[in-house]
Structures are given as structure tokens and as C-alpha cells.
Amino acid sequence: MRKRIYIALCLLCFTTFLRAQNSIDEVVDNFSTVGSSTYTSAIERDPQTRRVIKVVKTLETRGKVVSDLIDAFNKERETGSFSRKEENDEVTMILATENKSGNRVYMFQCRDKGYPWGKATIIIRPK
């Protein structure tokens, strides 16, 4: 019985970690098909092996989604190398992560004053 509880707790902690690690991806995926968002995705492949070299996803949006992306970036800042730059009324956040499956770079440019605007770019390089 104790072993089952221990396994259940380990699985719960693991899935919580994975969900937190992917919160930026979740927000981008959720809002890629909603409202006034513009979403593009491009895949670069090796022409000989057809293996994926790089995936680039871009979401440009306005309104409440900007604050959701800011929250997701602030939640993720401890999972990799994070930098934030403020210039005039525009903020740029960059998060670089590395794990067994590959490297990811998340970049977010936003203007949150007046009418909010934001552009999130995700670059994925699988190993």
C-alpha cells in the first residue's frame, strides 16, 4: 500500500514538473487558434534524412493573451537561462532551456501599456 502511494506521489510530482516546464508552450498552443492572434510554424528538415533540424513557432497577439504570456515567462524563468530587457515601453524576455530531447529558446517581445501587443517566438532544436 505504501509503495502504491509513493508511486502515485512520484507520478504527480513528475507530471506537475512537466506541466510547469511547458506553460509557455501551452499558452502559445491555446491561443494559436483564438481571436486576433497570428500564428506561424516552420519546420526545417535535413533533405537527405528528413530528420527535423529546427522548428520555429511564432505567435503575435493583442489583448489579455499578452498578460498570460508574461505570467508564463515569469513562471518559467527558473527552468533555464533567463534575461529581461526593458527599452522605452517595450519589454523583451529570453529563456533558453536544454534537456535530453533538445534545446529550446523562447523569446517574447511585448508592449503592455495602452493597447497590449506581444510576439512570442519559440525555436526548438531536437537532439
Side-chain angles (χ1 to χ4, degrees):
M1 182 68 176
R2 283 186 179 178
K3 188 175 181 179
R4 287 183 184 172
I5 293 172
Y6 177 75
I7 290 171
L9 285 174
C10 287
L11 288 173
L12 179 65
C13 290
F14 182 70
T15 56
T16 302
F17 173 74
L18 287 178
R19 191 176 70 210
Q21 191 174 22
N22 294 321
S23 63
I24 297 170
D25 292 314
E26 270 184 40
V27 172
V28 169
D29 289 343
N30 287 340
F31 291 105
S32 66
T33 59
V34 176
S36 62
S37 299
T38 304
Y39 177 77
T40 57
S41 178
I43 299 173
E44 181 182 345
R45 294 182 182 270
D46 182 331
Q48 295 169 341
T49 64
R50 304 295 298 155
R51 185 174 166 260
V52 174
I53 297 172
K54 177 173 61 172
V55 178
V56 179
K57 300 177 183 181
T58 305
L59 176 74
E60 191 169 346
T61 189
R62 300 183 183 283
K64 182 190 177 305
V65 181
V66 174
S67 61
D68 292 343
L69 282 163
I70 291 170
D71 293 342
F73 267 83
N74 287 328
K75 186 192 298 186
E76 296 290 329
R77 68 184 321 151
E78 301 299 321
T79 63
S81 175
F82 181 81
S83 67
R84 180 185 171 114
K85 179 182 169 187
E86 294 186 40
E87 195 171 291
N88 297 329
D89 66 339
E90 194 165 293
V91 176
T92 302
M93 293 183 267
I94 298 174
L95 174 66
T97 64
E98 183 177 349
N99 60 25
K100 291 183 272 185
S101 63
N103 300 328
R104 290 177 177 250
V105 176
Y106 300 90
M107 186 172 94
F108 185 57
Q109 298 170 298
C110 67
R111 191 176 53 248
D112 202 18
K113 296 183 173 134
Y115 192 64
W117 167 88
K119 180 178 181 181
T121 303
I122 303 171
I123 301 170
I124 305 164
R125 290 194 177 266
K127 287 188 178 178

